[in-house]
Amino acid sequence: NIQSFSDVITSILTIILETLLLIFFISILLLSGNKVTIFIILFLLLISSYFLIVINKKKILKYGKIRQTFANTINRVIIESISNIKSIKIFGIEKQISKQLVSVDRKIGIADFKSNFLLQTPRALIELIIIFSLLIILSVNFDNKDSLDTITYLAILIAISTRLMPSITRTNAA
């Protein structure tokens, strides 16, 4: 199927692009020379990698398969209904077919909700980690006499964090 092949290529390109972007931003942070940066980067990468790879991917794949199964059921019911429209009218089972479609559609909605929730959870977790990391950096460098360097560094961190949030969501969805 051409569409499936296109989706796979798009996912691979998204992962490659976002990974290169992440490496670029990490390099900028490492070149800034702040000692806390290495700790923060490792902490963020370990937590987000664990959460994204180990916990979320399996569940997202599970809900994706459930959604495909129910979508196939809807397609089958629609095709059978169209093929047997005379029989459905004669036996008066329109409401039964309609209820069956609504039930399956509701199940697809539940699977989509759970999948979307899991896709958004890493973003919220990483935003929370970034906020705490910025607070740690502020507290560590608060006594530092070079407050301009600290403010500049925090501005860089905030800018990079703001740019990486959509990147992380796209990578997770790919």
Side-chain angles (χ1 to χ4, degrees):
N1 185 326
I2 299 284
Q3 183 62 37
S4 297
F5 181 73
S6 174
D7 291 343
V8 168
I9 295 297
T10 302
S11 293
I12 290 171
L13 289 175
T14 299
I15 290 171
I16 290 171
L17 177 68
E18 300 304 334
T19 303
L20 288 174
L21 191 64
L22 180 66
I23 290 170
F24 172 74
F25 285 136
I26 288 173
S27 299
I28 289 174
L29 290 175
L30 289 174
L31 290 174
S32 69
N34 197 317
K35 296 173 188 173
V36 181
T37 303
I38 296 172
F39 171 75
I40 292 172
I41 291 171
L42 290 176
F43 184 71
L44 281 173
L45 287 176
L46 287 175
I47 297 241
S48 61
S49 296
Y50 176 77
F51 194 77
L52 293 174
I53 294 169
V54 175
I55 297 173
N56 267 3
K57 281 296 182 185
K58 290 179 185 177
K59 290 182 181 180
I60 290 171
L61 287 174
K62 172 186 158 191
Y63 292 127
K65 287 179 182 178
I66 289 171
R67 188 187 189 300
Q68 284 179 340
T69 301
F70 289 134
N72 288 337
T73 302
I74 284 180
N75 289 339
R76 182 183 47 78
V77 169
I78 290 173
I79 290 170
E80 287 175 1
S81 299
I82 291 172
S83 299
N84 300 316
I85 192 76
K86 286 182 184 179
S87 300
I88 291 172
K89 287 288 190 181
I90 290 172
F91 293 117
I93 56 174
E94 297 97 343
K95 288 185 180 181
Q96 180 183 352
I97 300 292
S98 178
K99 285 180 183 177
Q100 186 179 8
L101 284 172
V102 168
S103 172
V104 173
D105 189 50
R106 187 171 294 133
K107 291 175 183 176
I108 287 176
I110 291 169
D112 280 346
F113 171 78
K114 289 178 179 179
S115 177
N116 288 335
F117 178 78
L118 289 174
L119 283 171
Q120 294 302 319
T121 302
R123 179 183 176 135
L125 178 69
I126 292 171
E127 285 175 353
L128 191 63
I129 291 171
I130 288 171
I131 290 170
F132 283 124
S133 300
L134 291 173
L135 291 174
I136 290 170
I137 291 170
L138 259 175
S139 66
V140 168
N141 292 325
F142 189 71
D143 294 332
N144 193 350
K145 294 178 183 175
D146 252 352
S147 62
L148 183 60
D149 287 343
T150 303
I151 292 172
T152 304
Y153 183 71
L154 285 175
I156 291 171
L157 278 178
I158 290 170
I160 290 173
S161 301
T162 303
R163 174 55 187 98
L164 285 180
M165 282 297 96
S167 174
I168 291 168
T169 304
R170 280 192 300 270
T171 304
N172 192 27

